[in-house]
Amino acid sequence: MKSNRVILEQLQSRFSDATFTEQTTKDEIFTLWIPLDQVQKILRYLKYEIQSPFTFLYDLTAVDERTRNRSTNHVPHADFTLVYHLFSYTGNCFIRIKVGLFGEYPSAPSITSLWANANWYEREVFDLFGIKFEGHPHLARILMPRTWEGHPLRKEHPARATEMGPFRLWDEKEDREQEALLFRPEEWGLERQSEDSDFMFMNIGPQHPGTHGVLRIILQLDGEDIVDAVPEIGFHHRGAEKMGERQSWHTYIPYTDRVDYLGGVMNNLAYLLAVEKLAGIEVPERVKVIRVMMCEFFRIASHLVWYGTFAQDLGQLSPVFYMFSDREKVFQVVEAVCGGRMHPNWFRIGGLSQDLPKGWETLVQNFLDYFPKRLKEYDAMVLKNSLFKARTKGIGIFTLEEAIEWGVTGANLRACGSDWDFRKKRPYSGYEFFDFDIPTGQNGDCYDRALVRVEEMRQSLRIIEQCLKHMPEGSYKADHPLTTPPLKKHTMQDIETLITHFLNVSWGPVIPAGEAMSCIEATKGANSYYLISDGNTSPYRARIRTPSFPHMQMLPYITRGYTVADLLSILGAMDYVLADIDR
Amino acid sequence: MQLTNRKKVLEQKPMTVAEKMYLPAIFNGLSITMRHFFKKKPTIQYPEQTREFGKEFRGLHVLRRDEQGRERCTACGLCAVACPAEAITMVAGERKKGEEHLYREEKYAVSYEINMLRCIFCGLCEEACPKEAVFLQNDKTVPPRFERDEFIYGKDRLVEPLNQANSKDNIKYRY
């Protein structure tokens, strides 16, 4: 592409002594290998100086390359690769920067001075790969327990508990674990006292209704005021990325359901878009529209949970019950279509698991007739309630620049005034054919975030209505050899087709070597699956970029100076799911 | 179709004096809640009552018989390898003379176990089965029990009872 050439030329003229190696990928994101010693300089240039600068550090991760089958894909040799995904809002394009690292436990320069949100990403890479970052302010484990031995995403680390031998807790180990649990404020970067006051430390969570999951927030308090807040995450870590390397391409789909468990099929979509890019599958129009419809149903379901629990956090007890029973109406549709509720596991590589059931139109129409009235009542009950307003207006403000610096996406970004919605700006799965508005806020406070999400539900209804009216005819599976599983009527004919069926559901498809990243506007923000295939029956690396992770990282920054009661408004308005943060 | 592609700015207005009194907001909220007292209850008295499941609902598994009451399963093991949670185990055996009325194929499952504590009810086994033998029923769920062993369902609890064979109403053919 032309713009890629321009970027490369600019880089080469600026850094004449560095060598840039271009790599072609399936998703057509411009991918460049850069030398290790110039990482900071080049990234700084990309962030500040280049035309249409890449201001947004979208994702930072690593790949253990040591056991990769190289015969199928030409990539420069390295033991580990650091992968930086940058995004430019002005140029509307991604760039993927790769840095090769050598040795058992290599180290790389930290970029925390460049991007505020690099901090947690680098800690995550250190935790899961053992790669050290020089100049990082607090390089400690983040997802795994502090007493964990080994780095799970390294290829030599066992993928399942049965490979590790039976668990034993002998006395010394118990003492060590207990010792690690002791709270020492210094380890968390917290002072015990200032010049004029002794601070109080308070844990919110891991078991607290206001944290919406197993999240611990250590508060450093001066009276009622928050001096600092340190979120401790990882309680919900289930190793979704590691499991991706073990499951086949096909049997990983149910696992994606559980990443953002309020988003249901939306996770399937993010994963499958990446797989389909790798496989080169173009799905039929009908599949696209059905996928969009179900995704929007899940957006409404997720926003309803957020809406109810947010109101509950602020002291309104009734809305959460009404909203959960309305969510049940969404799940009636979802159950009738998918057969599951929160974990529908319904999309497949190259299509859907089955066609829409008979009578789906009535179900969807009933919901469309029913729901707007309810939204109106909720407006009267929650949004127009002056107590609610008093607790959310002017609380937890961040500006658009801060939002981009910290990697905020989704409704939280739009509440700051940006109209960035990946459904509109980088359409996927046929969103370009739908007519809907992008709600934005102006102040970037908790109340605006609420306004934006409520309006998003209305827009979702519009999209669903269009799906209902313009549902195309056609097959629910793509006619492609890698579609898994293929239409059953094509499989049970003779021994030849039966063998194909056996291979397809046992090994799953063999996805051609390459790498691809999807990017969708999920319920909480930008969700991505960055998949690397080395031509095998399972991904070589499955990286999940979730929106809640950077949102939670921003928490200390936006809560300082507020009171504990405000913290709950901020947490409620942020709309995160712990499974989405910890994966 | 003309696309709007609009940006819709949502404005928040400053709070009025009336709003800052707060008391009306409390009564307003209470009145909405009280109106709900007289509406239809969304709750049901579980377990005496149970809600209706959708037609496609994925519930408890069943191993089906064919039209003549023979077991369809041929113990090929596809469901076991397709299972993402590795919940299914089976032992295959060869059909002997005189057992033709019991098993449809020459090979059959001597034992077939599903660990319902592992199962995630994703339906991939049903999709994989080449013999249309294993199905997830839309009207039954796994009942709660006290012991872990009781969740390992063997053939005694999975195979369709003979008198119910061919009752197609709770089984759906989907693929």
Side-chain angles (χ1 to χ4, degrees):
Chain A
M1 283 202 337
K2 196 171 151 242
S3 59
N4 294 350
R5 285 268 78 81
V6 178
I7 295 171
L8 187 60
E9 275 164 23
Q10 280 177 306
L11 278 171
Q12 273 167 342
S13 62
R14 178 73 166 67
F15 302 95
S16 49
D17 51 336
T19 45
F20 296 94
T21 318
E22 212 181 318
Q23 186 191 340
T24 47
T25 54
K26 292 275 171 66
D27 52 4
E28 290 172 356
I29 292 176
F30 186 45
T31 307
L32 265 190
W33 288 76
I34 62 169
L36 177 64
D37 50 345
Q38 304 218 32
V39 173
Q40 279 175 324
K41 273 190 223 156
I42 293 172
L43 290 180
R44 182 181 299 278
Y45 175 74
L46 284 170
K47 185 182 178 188
Y48 293 112
E49 291 169 40
I50 202 169
Q51 275 176 354
S52 58
F54 295 88
T55 47
F56 174 21
L57 176 67
Y58 184 75
D59 194 14
L60 193 172
T61 188
V63 186
D64 183 351
E65 305 269 9
R66 289 171 300 171
T67 60
R68 182 162 169 168
N69 176 9
R70 282 165 198 288
S71 59
T72 47
N73 195 17
H74 176 72
V75 283
H77 179 75
D79 289 338
F80 291 88
T81 315
L82 279 179
V83 187
Y84 302 86
H85 282 103
L86 309 181
F87 187 72
S88 161
Y89 280 107
T90 43
N92 188 8
C93 65
F94 280 102
I95 188 170
R96 183 181 292 134
I97 301 292
K98 288 189 170 189
V99 183
L101 303 173
F102 294 89
E104 271 293 285
Y105 290 92
S107 59
S110 165
I111 57 159
T112 41
S113 54
L114 271 174
W115 276 282
N117 65 338
N119 189 320
W120 274 22
Y121 283 122
E122 287 183 353
R123 277 178 69 184
E124 191 192 352
V125 170
F126 164 71
D127 191 359
L128 303 181
F129 289 92
I131 297 171
K132 289 189 191 66
F133 289 92
E134 287 147 19
H136 190 287
H138 182 62
L139 198 63
R141 285 192 184 272
I142 184 163
L143 291 178
M144 303 303 287
R146 285 198 286 172
T147 49
W148 192 263
E149 281 163 24
H151 300 276
L153 278 181
R154 294 169 72 92
K155 290 289 175 184
E156 73 266 18
H157 196 279
R160 51 200 330 167
T162 45
E163 293 165 17
M164 299 172 77
F167 177 79
R168 301 238 190 286
L169 188 65
W170 54 90
D171 288 347
E172 298 88 76
K173 190 175 175 187
E174 190 182 345
D175 292 343
R176 207 163 61 225
E177 298 281 345
Q178 292 287 352
E179 174 74 17
L181 289 175
L182 278 179
F183 176 65
R184 292 178 205 87
E186 297 76 23
E187 284 175 10
W188 302 90
L190 303 170
E191 302 274 325
R192 282 178 196 263
Q193 62 250 346
S194 70
E195 280 170 17
D196 51 353
S197 62
D198 283 347
F199 295 126
M200 183 170 77
F201 296 100
M202 190 168 79
N203 282 317
I204 294 203
Q207 305 296 333
H208 186 282
T211 57
H212 303 196
V214 274
L215 163 75
R216 175 191 183 197
I217 300 169
I218 305 162
L219 292 178
Q220 184 186 27
L221 297 174
D222 182 6
E224 179 82 351
D225 298 326
I226 297 172
V227 181
D228 205 351
V230 183
E232 190 191 0
I233 62 169
F235 296 100
H236 211 313
H237 181 62
R238 298 150 300 170
E241 293 176 13
K242 186 80 177 173
M243 282 191 258
E245 297 169 14
R246 189 190 79 204
Q247 298 296 119
S248 75
W249 294 97
H250 175 51
T251 58
Y252 189 52
I253 300 172
Y255 285 87
T256 63
D257 272 343
R258 287 149 177 82
V259 171
D260 166 12
Y261 54 72
L262 298 177
V265 291
M266 202 103 71
N267 302 292
N268 297 169
L269 181 66
Y271 169 66
L272 290 175
L273 284 177
V275 177
E276 281 159 12
K277 265 183 207 169
L278 279 175
I281 300 175
E282 182 64 36
V283 298
E285 284 301 309
R286 184 178 173 83
V287 173
K288 286 185 182 171
V289 177
I290 296 176
R291 281 180 175 180
V292 165
M293 184 172 83
M294 294 321 291
C295 282
E296 293 306 320
F297 267 115
F298 268 101
R299 192 182 309 277
I300 292 176
S302 167
H303 281 8
L304 276 175
V305 173
W306 156 81
Y307 203 4
T309 51
F310 186 28
Q312 190 196 24
D313 286 347
L314 299 179
Q316 283 188 304
L317 211 55
S318 306
V320 67
F321 293 110
Y322 305 151
M323 286 165 193
F324 267 69
S325 46
D326 278 350
R327 179 174 172 244
E328 205 56 35
K329 305 265 184 212
V330 180
F331 278 155
Q332 274 174 11
V333 182
V334 171
E335 188 185 297
V337 173
C338 308
R341 287 155 54 83
M342 282 176 78
H343 303 310
N345 174 38
W346 197 58
F347 295 170
R348 295 286 183 271
I349 300 171
L352 311 163
S353 92
Q354 69 200 88
D355 209 344
L356 289 169
K358 283 197 188 93
W360 67 275
E361 296 97 339
T362 342
L363 275 171
V364 174
Q365 188 58 52
N366 285 349
F367 181 77
L368 288 177
D369 296 339
Y370 167 84
F371 195 56
K373 280 194 298 255
R374 309 290 301 164
L375 275 179
K376 212 174 249 175
E377 187 183 273
Y378 298 146
D379 275 358
M381 201 175 193
V382 183
L383 283 187
K384 288 189 185 146
N385 186 306
S386 54
L387 290 156
F388 179 84
K389 285 182 183 173
R391 296 253 340 242
T392 52
K393 281 193 174 186
I395 304 293
I397 298 180
F398 50 83
T399 65
L400 187 57
E401 289 71 37
E402 286 169 328
I404 293 171
E405 174 73 20
W406 285 89
V408 173
T409 48
N412 294 346
L413 177 73
R414 290 190 285 278
C416 303
S418 165
D419 63 340
W420 197 271
D421 187 318
F422 283 96
R423 290 176 294 175
K424 276 277 186 230
K425 306 285 175 165
R426 298 178 69 82
Y428 54 90
S429 192
Y431 266 109
E432 62 270 33
F433 301 117
F434 290 95
D435 189 17
F436 61 100
D437 301 335
I438 306 166
T440 62
Q442 289 171 310
N443 307 306
D445 59 2
C446 291
Y447 190 70
D448 268 4
R449 276 169 239 161
L451 280 181
V452 168
R453 285 209 183 84
V454 173
E455 182 58 31
E456 268 186 17
M457 285 197 262
R458 296 209 169 84
Q459 299 301 331
S460 289
L461 284 176
R462 278 179 73 186
I463 298 175
I464 293 172
E465 198 178 356
Q466 291 166 50
C467 292
L468 177 65
K469 285 194 180 133
H470 306 286
M471 182 61 71
E473 294 295 317
S475 170
Y476 63 96
K477 274 188 184 172
D479 187 16
H480 191 283
L482 289 172
T483 299
T484 312
L487 280 173
K488 224 171 189 175
K489 62 177 185 215
H490 296 322
T491 53
M492 307 302 168
Q493 311 285 345
D494 45 43
I495 189 72
E496 196 63 41
T497 50
L498 196 62
I499 289 172
T500 319
H501 176 76
F502 263 65
L503 289 178
N504 240 310
V505 294
S506 53
W507 287 352
V510 177
I511 300 290
E515 44 194 85
M517 187 176 76
S518 62
C519 179
I520 72 158
E521 185 73 33
T523 56
K524 288 153 189 70
N527 186 4
S528 280
Y529 280 75
Y530 170 48
L531 301 175
I532 298 179
S533 168
D534 62 348
N536 223 320
T537 54
S538 50
Y540 183 76
R541 169 97 171 93
R543 161 71 183 167
I544 312 170
R545 191 268 181 201
T546 54
S548 303
F549 188 80
H551 290 170
M552 183 49 64
Q553 178 170 200
M554 198 185 186
L555 186 79
Y557 183 72
I558 49 177
T559 47
R560 275 177 208 138
Y562 290 107
T563 61
V564 179
D566 294 332
L567 173 76
L568 290 174
S569 309
I570 293 169
L571 284 176
M574 193 187 273
D575 187 21
Y576 56 87
V577 159
L578 262 299
D580 200 35
I581 297 178
D582 295 342
R583 283 152 284 137
Chain B
M1 194 173 13
Q2 181 65 41
L3 300 185
T4 50
N5 200 11
R6 270 178 311 194
K7 170 176 170 176
K8 184 170 182 179
V9 181
L10 304 164
E11 274 179 69
Q12 48 164 279
K13 297 174 193 80
M15 284 169 75
T16 58
V17 182
E19 279 184 322
K20 280 187 182 160
M21 311 261 291
Y22 296 127
L23 275 181
I26 294 176
F27 289 110
N28 194 12
L30 281 177
S31 74
I32 293 178
T33 308
M34 285 213 235
R35 252 179 275 152
H36 274 265
F37 289 176
F38 307 103
K39 286 191 179 162
K40 193 173 161 269
K41 276 187 205 154
T43 48
I44 51 163
Q45 296 300 319
Y46 186 83
E48 285 79 21
Q49 294 173 337
T50 44
R51 76 180 176 90
E52 225 179 278
F53 294 118
K55 274 220 174 60
E56 305 294 328
F57 184 76
R58 299 190 297 251
L60 187 63
H61 308 66
V62 65
L63 281 174
R64 295 205 58 227
R65 295 174 186 276
D66 70 353
E67 296 77 9
Q68 298 160 34
R70 300 175 299 184
E71 285 176 23
R72 285 168 163 269
C73 176
T74 179
C76 65
L78 261 197
C79 49
V81 288
C83 180
E86 297 171 21
I88 307 178
T89 48
M90 67 181 76
V91 177
E94 209 164 319
R95 184 179 69 183
K96 296 201 177 62
K97 268 228 163 89
E99 289 181 334
E100 285 85 355
H101 65 290
L102 294 175
Y103 312 111
R104 199 175 65 170
E105 313 288 338
E106 287 157 10
K107 188 168 145 250
Y108 73 100
V110 180
S111 83
Y112 188 102
E113 285 181 348
I114 301 181
N115 185 343
M116 294 299 172
L117 293 174
R118 293 199 72 128
C119 178
I120 56 170
F121 299 93
C122 64
L124 291 190
C125 47
E126 186 182 308
E127 223 172 279
C129 183
K131 291 287 168 195
E132 294 181 337
V134 63
F135 275 95
L136 277 71
Q137 300 163 96
N138 60 7
D139 59 348
K140 290 194 184 68
T141 52
V142 183
R145 292 175 191 277
F146 291 106
E147 299 293 328
R148 276 170 182 266
D149 323 348
E150 294 180 73
F151 284 99
I152 297 173
Y153 277 51
K155 272 183 84 175
D156 51 330
R157 284 190 283 177
L158 287 171
V159 179
E160 201 172 27
L162 261 174
N163 50 1
Q164 271 180 31
N166 267 326
S167 63
K168 281 184 187 163
D169 38 322
N170 67 343
I171 310 280
K172 64 257 178 222
Y173 291 95
R174 301 203 289 183
Y175 305 104

